[in-house]
Amino acid sequence: MNMKESFFTGMIKFIYGINEPFDEFTSKVISEAANKVAFGLIIFLFVSIFVSLGIGNFYDSSNIAIGMIFADAIAVLIALTYMDIVVKRHGLDEYDYSNDSERKIAIRSFIIQNLITLVAIMTVLICFNLILGGHFDFILFVIYPIAFVISTYLGYRRNFK
């Protein structure tokens, strides 16, 4: 029986470089995790809408926008972390590459996953900087990305060389 996989399952396979089809248990685990993430994000969005409407009467709207961007970035980081834990717990990120094209797909997925993480973390750092009223520092935009790229390269060397 050839069933079409869901968008979320395809996204998980793309991000983690998984080329093989999931068995029934793994599909069930991924679907359950996806439902938890979706339900949590829906509740978060509804709560944040009403909180921002309530706070909007007391504070400047630009502060509320910065707070919402920060809260959304935190929610995305929590969702990505939860999915990363589920994938690692079931060993889906460990894959024996049978040929060079599968290895290249896994490397591309590794790079994409780390770029998403860098963008999310930079968004959180920018929001922290704006909320605390600081100036955009050299450390925030230069040192941290360089350190992240170096640690990503070391992770690449550990996983793919």
Side-chain angles (χ1 to χ4, degrees), residues 106-118:
I107 290 171
R108 182 193 68 197
S109 298
F110 178 81
I111 292 169
I112 289 171
Q113 180 183 9
N114 283 294
L115 285 175
I116 291 170
T117 303
L118 177 63

Side-chain angles (χ1 to χ4, degrees), residues 11 28 33 35 37-38 40 44 50 68 82 96 104 108 112-113 142 155:
M11 188 174 71
K28 183 179 176 187
N35 289 339
V37 166
F44 170 77
F50 292 116
M68 291 299 295
Y82 175 73
D96 186 25
K104 286 180 182 178
R108 182 193 68 197
I112 289 171
Q113 180 183 9
V142 177

